[in-house]
């Protein structure tokens, strides 16, 4: 069977579950053949070997069962870099690229050292990208998931990023350390894509998310707002910058939460569908380092 026919058949099957059936079929087949996309497209008239066809069919079946494409392939592109992903760790998403861009804008005028503190690092993409782009940052990242910890270390090694402090522990048990940082003159950025799905919303999540991604990276109490409130309790609004992702429909509740905290300079950002999905806040005093 030629590559062209294999792709056409797979694309027709994948059209039931994705808006990008042609591309997904091509990405999966290129991975099975260990070739680039351009090499694949230049070989469409060739006959596919039985071992490769068998591997391809197995991956297509996983995708048709609802497994996210990133887990099927084993990696995801984020900000132009390819990161390993694996079951048990939250998958990076396009919205999180927008969060990173907003965070970089927040710190763009800082000339001296600053702290970047990440709550819930997952695959490590946010902290690694901050470390790559901001050599003046002291990046410290927390997660309670040992699978995420090992994955983030592997991703950091992949890009030869060695300066991040990866902490396998509860972010909120480090108040003494936050207090020490706030006693310095250095700016502090709190960066997070925290759990924000309420219990009711969790039951209605797409199975490709609910069945394949860790519940503790998704689910939050207090209608999905518990982590934002705990962040606000950990830092004074006049001392830190904050950049966080949030869920659809949470903008007004977060506005009230941030106003009660005393936040200044709050800006809400939208995703690729113009839906509010992230916010940034700046301290009432300027810390440029």
């Amino acid at each position: 069977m030629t590559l062209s026919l294999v792709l056409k058949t797979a694309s027709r099957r994948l059209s039931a579950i994705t808006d990008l059936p042609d591309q997904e079929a091509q990405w999966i087949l290129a991975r099975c053949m260990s070739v680039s996309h351009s090499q694949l497209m230049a070989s469409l008239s060739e006959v596919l070997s039985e071992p490769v066809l068998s591997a391809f069919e197995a991956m297509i079946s996983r995708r048709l069962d609802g497994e996210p494409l990133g887990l099927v392939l084993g990696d995801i592109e984020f900000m132009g870099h390819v990161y390993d992903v694996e079951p048990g760790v939250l998958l990076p998403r396009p919205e999180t690229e927008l969060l990173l861009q907003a965070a970089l804008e927040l710190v763009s005028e800082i000339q001296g050292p600053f702290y970047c503190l990440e709550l819930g690092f997952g695959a490590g993409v946010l902290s690694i990208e901050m470390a790559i782009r901001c050599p003046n940052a002291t990046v410290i990242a927390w997660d309670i998931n040992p699978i995420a910890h090992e994955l983030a270390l592997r991703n950091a090694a992949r890009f030869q990023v060695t300066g991040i402090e990866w902490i396998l522990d509860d972010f909120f048990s480090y108040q003494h350390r936050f207090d020490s940082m706030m006693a310095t003159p250095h700016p502090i950025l709190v960066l997070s894509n925290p759990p924000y799905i309420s219990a009711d919303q969790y039951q209605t999540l797409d199975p490709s998310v609910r069945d394949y991604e860790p519940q503790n990276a998704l689910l939050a109490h207090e209608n999905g707002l518990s982590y934002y409130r705990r962040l606000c309790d950990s830092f004074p609004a006049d001392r830190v910058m904050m950049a966080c992702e949030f869920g659809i429909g949470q903008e007004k509740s977060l506005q009230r939460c941030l106003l009660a905290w005393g936040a200044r300079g709050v800006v809400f950002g939208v995703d690729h569908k113009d839906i509010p999905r992230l916010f940034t806040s700046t301290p009432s005093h300027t810390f440029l380092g």
Side-chain angles (χ1 to χ4, degrees):
M1 189 179 296
T2 65
L3 273 65
S4 178
L5 182 56
V6 167
L7 286 171
K8 186 178 296 185
T9 302
S11 176
R12 186 166 58 249
R13 296 168 66 195
L14 288 170
S15 64
I17 63 160
T18 176
D19 294 331
L20 301 171
D22 292 344
Q23 292 93 325
E24 290 200 14
Q26 292 164 14
W27 293 331
I28 292 172
L29 185 54
R31 180 59 51 84
C32 291
M33 295 176 63
S34 299
V35 299
S36 68
H37 184 264
S38 59
Q39 289 172 320
L40 173 72
M41 301 311 290
S43 308
L44 294 180
S45 61
E46 295 182 7
V47 175
L48 199 61
S49 70
E50 284 299 325
V52 173
L53 179 59
S54 178
F56 178 69
E57 287 293 340
M59 292 177 76
I60 291 295
S61 294
R62 289 169 59 190
R63 186 70 183 103
L64 289 170
D65 285 341
E67 187 171 351
L69 179 65
L71 292 181
V72 173
L73 295 175
D75 56 44
I76 280 180
E77 184 174 323
F78 185 88
M79 297 298 291
H81 293 139
V82 177
Y83 286 89
D84 287 347
V85 295
E86 63 181 71
V89 181
L90 190 72
L91 296 174
R93 288 172 166 77
E95 294 83 7
T96 310
E97 290 188 334
L98 300 176
L99 173 62
L100 175 68
Q101 291 165 2
L104 290 170
E105 179 65 24
L106 269 185
V107 301
S108 61
E109 295 184 14
I110 298 176
Q111 302 298 317
F114 72 94
Y115 293 106
C116 175
L117 314 179
E118 185 184 4
L119 161 63
F121 54 73
V125 298
L126 284 174
S127 284
I128 292 170
E129 293 293 334
M130 287 296 297
I132 290 171
R133 288 166 167 75
C134 301
N136 55 328
T138 296
V139 182
I140 309 170
W142 284 259
D143 206 301
I144 60 172
N145 182 349
I147 303 174
H149 187 246
E150 292 182 9
L151 178 61
L153 289 173
R154 190 164 74 243
N155 278 325
R158 183 174 192 165
F159 297 104
Q160 299 181 319
V161 174
T162 59
I164 300 171
E165 183 178 355
W166 303 101
I167 299 177
L168 180 60
D169 205 351
D170 178 12
F171 179 91
F172 297 106
S173 67
Y174 282 73
Q175 188 64 52
H176 63 287
R177 193 162 181 189
F178 304 151
D179 292 341
S180 296
M181 293 175 192
M182 288 187 285
T184 74
H186 303 319
I188 299 171
L189 168 67
V190 178
L191 177 63
S192 186
N193 176 20
Y196 53 69
I197 304 296
S198 70
D200 289 341
Q201 290 173 322
Y202 185 78
Q203 300 306 318
T204 64
L205 283 178
D206 189 285
S208 66
V209 177
R210 189 183 63 239
D211 296 345
Y212 289 94
E213 302 201 50
Q215 185 182 84
N216 64 1
L218 299 167
L219 194 58
H221 300 297
E222 301 175 36
N223 291 320
L225 299 178
S226 59
Y227 283 90
Y228 306 106
R229 289 174 174 147
R230 294 185 72 186
L231 282 173
C232 291
D233 288 342
S234 299
F235 301 94
D238 64 355
R239 183 60 181 88
V240 299
M241 299 170 285
M242 197 174 287
C244 294
E245 191 173 321
F246 61 85
I248 294 173
Q250 292 180 323
E251 180 186 8
K252 290 184 178 179
S253 297
L254 268 174
Q255 278 182 321
R256 291 192 291 269
C257 175
L258 294 170
L259 284 173
W261 179 47
R264 299 291 184 270
V266 176
V267 176
F268 286 89
V270 298
D271 64 14
H272 298 293
K273 297 179 181 179
D274 287 329
I275 299 171
R277 292 299 308 280
L278 63 94
F279 75 84
T280 60
S281 71
T282 53
S284 55
H285 298 93
T286 301
F287 293 85
L288 294 181

